[in-house]
Amino acid sequence: MSTDTTPRHLRTKRWQLRLDLFEEGDTTKVHAVLDTGDNLLESRTSAHRNPGDPPVPEIGDEYAAGRALVELGHQLLRAGLIDSAANDAPRT
């Protein structure tokens, strides 16, 4: 018995993600940009330190960046739904 070792069509893409973090006092802001080659998605989010928490800038970075990535994820899912619906539409 032989196994088919013929290479399948392989499509490779590279998406570029940029996160710019800005700290001002107790607030961290993030501007996230995802370039898929076909679309450019952007998210702007922030995190503000609770006055009762210790001042650890890394924590603000993590919260703000995490929120930006979640927002980009929601945008990607919406884009997929819209593209899928457009491809399912009857052709005239």
Side-chain angles (χ1 to χ4, degrees):
M1 179 173 177
S2 65
T3 304
D4 181 8
T5 58
T6 306
R8 304 283 186 244
H9 176 70
L10 178 64
R11 183 177 74 120
T12 303
K13 295 179 91 174
R14 176 172 295 193
W15 290 6
Q16 298 290 326
L17 173 65
R18 189 181 79 231
L19 297 174
D20 296 314
L21 289 81
F22 309 91
E23 292 180 13
E24 185 177 331
D26 290 336
T27 301
T28 303
K29 296 179 181 180
V30 173
H31 177 217
V33 178
L34 177 63
D35 183 352
T36 69
D38 299 317
N39 294 305
L40 193 67
L41 304 175
E42 294 187 60
S43 173
R44 294 179 189 272
T45 60
S46 64
H48 186 76
R49 182 178 69 87
N50 183 320
D53 291 341
V56 182
E58 179 182 331
I59 295 171
D61 295 349
E62 293 165 346
Y63 274 114
R67 289 173 180 160
L69 293 172
V70 167
E71 173 56 29
L72 286 176
H74 288 294
Q75 290 181 36
L76 281 170
L77 291 170
R78 282 192 298 272
L81 285 171
I82 291 167
D83 290 346
S84 178
N87 284 322
D88 288 343
R91 312 235 193 264
T92 57

